[in-house]
Amino acid sequence: MSLTDELLRPLPAAQPLITHYDDQLGSRVELSVATTANWAAKTANWLTEEFDVEPGDAVAVQLPAHWQTVGVLLGAWWCGARVVTGGAGARVAFVGPDDPEPTGAAATAVVTLDPMGRGLAEPPGGGAFDYLSEARLAGDQYRPLFPIPGDTAALFESTVDEVLAEARVRAAKLGLTADDRVLSTRDWTGPDGILDGLLVPLAAGVHLVHVSNADPAKLDARREAERTTADLPA
């Protein structure tokens, strides 16, 4: 079973999964489990149909912590991709709108990181793809042709089973439970950043409140408004 199935399947569809603030833009976006799964399914369908991504293929995710990054990561894992951060040799590289090209991947998908989920105002150059505009046309449900084995590489060289086990161990060390609402400002850089910043909260089933470009003076207000019970270590 894929890492995405393992993480999302136990959670109620209507449960809030992630609330994303960007203090620089003044935005707040909340996604339920169902909405997150929908974006992940569209991403997985798009990756398999447009780029023939198969289990074990490398997909580079060169994106900051953001609600759209959640859909990209979970979609990649749903179709069995191995998430890396370097584009060289990857089947597809997901980059932000201001990232330089080329990525070294066979294809490049530009993610706008727009708080309202809008695509690019103009088509990207160099043969790149507008992720939000194109992936939203893909199917809302995803079913892999074959089950994803637990020994499939999922995050750099770590397998689905290893990543899931490590995320659960780290969540237990932090004492996180499904009743928690967790505030985080941690970046999702590299395997440890993705593990601690995203996979640990998902494995614990908590509601993650992530603040990008955090204004320290506003964090207490965020904690109060979102009724958070814990902070993720920075």
Side-chain angles (χ1 to χ4, degrees):
M1 188 173 292
S2 74
L3 185 57
T4 298
D5 278 312
E6 293 282 7
L7 293 168
L8 296 187
R9 183 170 47 89
L11 304 178
Q15 174 182 316
L17 188 69
I18 180 168
T19 298
H20 177 251
Y21 284 89
D22 188 323
D23 281 350
Q24 192 172 70
L25 298 177
S27 61
R28 177 187 183 276
V29 177
E30 181 174 295
L31 301 183
S32 67
V33 173
T35 303
T36 304
N38 179 262
W39 268 111
K42 287 179 176 296
T43 302
N45 281 312
W46 189 58
L47 286 173
T48 54
E49 294 168 5
E50 184 70 39
F51 306 105
D52 297 320
V53 172
E54 297 180 351
D57 285 346
V59 169
V61 180
Q62 302 171 351
L63 299 170
H66 193 278
W67 67 264
Q68 289 167 24
T69 308
V70 179
V72 170
L73 287 168
L74 291 175
W77 286 320
W78 215 341
C79 59
R82 177 172 66 93
V83 168
V84 296
T85 52
R91 185 62 62 91
V92 185
F94 288 88
V95 302
D98 300 321
D99 288 350
E101 293 187 43
T103 62
T108 300
V110 180
V111 183
T112 64
L113 306 175
D114 180 84
M116 301 304 294
R118 292 170 294 208
L120 296 167
E122 298 180 0
F129 295 83
D130 179 350
Y131 161 71
L132 284 171
S133 295
E134 298 205 18
R136 73 170 69 248
L137 302 177
D140 293 338
Q141 304 291 325
Y142 181 73
R143 294 291 183 271
L145 291 176
F146 304 100
I148 307 299
D151 61 359
T152 303
L155 184 60
F156 286 73
E157 302 307 318
S158 297
T159 67
V160 170
D161 289 345
E162 290 169 341
V163 170
L164 186 62
E166 182 63 20
R168 286 171 173 167
V169 166
R170 296 189 189 193
K173 286 182 178 178
L174 293 173
L176 298 179
T177 71
D179 294 326
D180 282 314
R181 297 168 64 88
V182 177
L183 182 84
S184 175
T185 60
R186 179 164 185 150
D187 197 8
W188 300 346
T189 302
D192 280 329
I194 294 171
L195 257 171
D196 289 325
L198 177 63
L199 291 174
V200 165
L202 288 179
V206 306
H207 179 178
L208 175 63
V209 178
H210 186 88
V211 184
S212 296
N213 303 307
D215 180 348
K218 295 180 179 179
L219 288 179
D220 282 342
R222 301 282 184 252
R223 294 183 182 98
E224 183 177 358
E226 299 294 342
R227 305 185 305 281
T228 57
T229 57
D231 285 9
L232 279 185

